């Protein structure tokens, strides 16, 4: 049994190296909620992927803080968990709030694996020691600026580029990128920005894309299923896949032929693994999405992406692509093969700069579990 002693919550701000613009807005810094769990003399860390506003999902850092402190922590105090696999059942009475749940589950996995002395990727059945990287490039002010960004990442060795698109920042942009980079692995992400009637959608097939991610509203599986029957480019879902239940529906409806898995969006690592397995049974490939995580969240993504059905390049870039300063060590680096190596140590395999975190945290609170 995991004997939990204490839960701590931290909120801190990290400045992005470059503003990140999507169809729903621009981020210049990230407010990050971190969870630390103490048990049997060891510690485990989890990162909440909720943003400061309810744009990508309804959750925010503040709703997650509230749900963890006021509902999840009291449940944990009275719980008897054999493994992190028991955690989703424990918090199932809380409706929704997947990112809040996922952050605590992540800390439990890290703690559990550190107590066992095994790396997380091995514990969950990972099959590779490096994962294929990719980079997600936000909407820029002009096409020349975008081309500069793409050129810089291609030169650094990124094997796949994802472009954020929206109506009006799509066909012309793709034409320009394809002219300069006819061969690169390229995919696009609309973050729900299109209406099903938009004629541009039928033009994407000209650009040899790996996939088109989430063109329509997050609740709309039907229109994605219709589009998937009309175009050659594989349709991939991100925002729509909020749980294993929804993944099954999407697969049965053939609303997508690829799934972007983000453990935070689906309610935790256990649910992410379940979706991976469901997709694998149907021979639908998956890849790991990103939420501009710090090294803590990135380490979890890297472990997840070692599972066998993560066969497409992931939104897992090197540490130096994100923030001016990270809070975890060592940094993740891009290898000469365009991959990110999986840390060898127990649990997540990274260390948190806790001194810096304590110094800079805007919120820091603790809950004791000792009975
Ligand atoms: O839609 O995949 C997305 C970041 C924040 C919110 C949504 C998305 C993203 C990314 C970032 O694309 C990918 C990364 O972390 O490298
Ligand atoms: Mg996306």
């Amino acid at each position: 049994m995991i004997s939990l002693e204490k839960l701590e919550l931290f909120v801190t701000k990290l400045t992005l190296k470059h503003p990140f613009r999507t169809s729903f807005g621009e981020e210049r810094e990230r407010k990050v909620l971190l969870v630390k769990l103490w048990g049997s003399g060891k510690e485990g860390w989890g990162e909440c992927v909720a943003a400061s506003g309810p744009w990508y999902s309804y959750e925010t850092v503040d709703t997650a803080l509230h749900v963890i402190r006021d509902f999840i922590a009291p449940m944990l105090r009275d719980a008897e968990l054999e493994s992190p696999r028991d955690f989703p059942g424990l918090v199932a009475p809380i409706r929704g709030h997947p990112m809040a749940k996922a952050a605590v589950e992540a800390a439990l996995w890290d703690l559990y694996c550190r107590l066992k002395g095994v790396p997380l990727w091995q514990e969950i059945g990972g099959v590779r020691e490096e994962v294929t990287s990719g980079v997600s490039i936000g909407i820029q002010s002009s096409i020349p600026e975008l081309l500069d960004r793409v050129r810089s990442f291609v030169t650094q060795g990124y094997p796949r580029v994802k472009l954020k698109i929206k109506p009006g920042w799509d066909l012309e942009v793709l034409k320009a990128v394809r002219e300069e980079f006819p061969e690169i692995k390229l995919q696009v992400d609309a973050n729900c920005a299109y209406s099903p009637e938009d004629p541009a959608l039928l033009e994407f097939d000209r650009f040899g894309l790996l996939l088109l991610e989430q063109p329509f509203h997050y609740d709309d599986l039907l229109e994605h299923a219709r589009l998937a029957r009309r175009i050659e480019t594989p349709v991939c879902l991100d925002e729509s896949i909020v749980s294993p239940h929804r993944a099954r529906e999407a697969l049965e409806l053939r609303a997508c032929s690829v799934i972007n898995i983000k453990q935070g969006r689906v309610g935790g690592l256990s649910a992410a693994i379940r979706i991976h397995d469901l997709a694998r049974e149907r021979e639908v490939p998956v890849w790991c999405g990103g939420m501009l995580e710090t090294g803590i969240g990135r380490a979890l993504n890297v472990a997840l992406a070692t599972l066998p059905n993560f066969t497409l390049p992931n939104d897992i870039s090197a540490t130096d692509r994100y923030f001016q300063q990270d809070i975890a060590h060592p940094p993740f680096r891009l290898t000469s093969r365009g991959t990110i190596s999986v840390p060898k140590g127990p649990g997540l395999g990274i260390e948190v700069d806790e001194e810096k975190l304590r110094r800079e945290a805007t919120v820091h609170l603790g809950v004791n579990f000792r009975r």
Side-chain angles (χ1 to χ4, degrees), residues 20 22 24 27 56 134-136 162 164 189 191 213 238-239 260 262 287 289-293 298 301 315-317 321-322:
F20 190 74
T22 62
F24 55 78
E27 288 189 77
Y56 168 86
V135 65
S136 173
K162 165 169 130 181
K164 293 289 186 179
D189 184 1
N191 289 110
E213 182 176 344
D238 174 353
E239 283 91 328
N260 164 335
K262 292 178 182 171
W287 55 285
M291 293 291 288
L292 307 176
E293 288 91 347
R298 188 166 338 288
N301 288 347
D315 272 354
I316 303 177
S317 312
R321 179 258 179 280
Y322 297 95

Side-chain angles (χ1 to χ4, degrees), residues 122-169:
Q122 281 180 355
E123 174 67 25
I124 63 175
V127 295
R128 56 181 78 87
E129 293 186 31
E130 53 185 24
V131 302
T132 308
S133 185
V135 65
S136 173
I137 305 181
I139 293 167
Q140 308 293 313
S141 317
S142 69
I143 289 179
E145 277 170 78
L146 176 69
L147 291 174
D148 283 348
R149 295 286 284 153
V150 175
R151 207 175 295 121
S152 135
F153 287 121
V154 169
T155 310
Q156 287 171 50
Y158 282 98
R160 181 276 269 158
V161 167
K162 165 169 130 181
L163 304 178
K164 293 289 186 179
I165 55 164
K166 62 177 182 182
W169 180 263

Side-chain angles (χ1 to χ4, degrees), residues 22 63 68 77 85 101 104-105 126 133 162 184 187 191 201 203 228 230 234 284 297 322 326 330 357 369:
T22 62
T63 68
I68 295 172
R77 189 179 45 229
R85 295 170 179 93
K101 293 170 179 170
V104 179
E105 191 184 321
S133 185
K162 165 169 130 181
I184 55 164
Q187 64 191 52
N191 289 110
L201 295 163
E203 305 292 318
R230 292 183 71 193
V284 166
Y322 297 95
D326 206 301
L357 183 59
F369 292 142

Side-chain angles (χ1 to χ4, degrees), residues 25-67:
E26 184 178 90
E27 288 189 77
R28 291 177 175 273
E29 57 173 22
R30 228 194 110 210
K31 194 169 142 187
V32 189
L33 170 60
L34 298 172
V35 180
K36 180 180 179 185
L37 277 176
W38 306 61
S40 308
K42 298 262 186 198
E43 302 163 1
W45 287 90
E47 173 172 345
C48 181
V49 301
S52 49
W55 319 124
Y56 168 86
S57 92
Y58 66 82
E59 290 182 274
T60 67
V61 166
D62 290 322
T63 68
L65 193 68
H66 164 54
V67 169

Side-chain angles (χ1 to χ4, degrees), residues 167-240:
W169 180 263
D170 46 18
L171 301 179
E172 237 187 288
V173 169
L174 281 168
K175 187 166 169 284
V177 171
R178 267 299 179 227
E179 254 163 39
E180 183 170 341
F181 306 95
E183 302 290 337
I184 55 164
K185 285 187 185 158
L186 189 64
Q187 64 191 52
V188 291
D189 184 1
N191 289 110
C192 312
Y194 286 84
S195 88
E197 294 79 43
D198 196 318
L201 295 163
L202 303 176
E203 305 292 318
F204 286 128
D205 282 350
R206 301 193 335 243
F207 301 104
L209 303 175
L210 285 180
L211 56 90
L212 161 60
E213 182 176 344
Q214 196 71 43
F216 305 134
H217 193 277
Y218 50 87
D219 254 347
D220 202 334
L221 290 182
L222 182 61
E223 289 298 346
H224 286 103
R226 287 198 170 130
L227 181 68
R229 284 159 176 74
R230 292 183 71 193
I231 62 174
E232 294 286 318
T233 307
V235 172
C236 169
L237 290 176
D238 174 353
E239 283 91 328
S240 291

Side-chain angles (χ1 to χ4, degrees), residues 49-50 56-59 87-88 91 96-103 105 237-248 259-276 278 286-289 291 300-301 304 310:
V49 301
Y56 168 86
S57 92
Y58 66 82
E59 290 182 274
F87 179 77
V91 295
H97 299 282
M99 293 175 179
K101 293 170 179 170
E105 191 184 321
L237 290 176
D238 174 353
E239 283 91 328
S240 291
I241 307 296
V242 294
S243 63
H245 294 289
R246 187 55 54 79
R248 268 193 54 212
I259 297 179
N260 164 335
I261 299 187
K262 292 178 182 171
Q263 56 80 34
R265 191 194 66 224
V266 303
L269 187 60
S270 301
I273 296 170
R274 179 91 192 100
I275 294 172
H276 162 274
L278 287 169
V286 304
W287 55 285
C288 184
M291 293 291 288
L300 187 63
N301 288 347
L304 175 62
F310 281 82

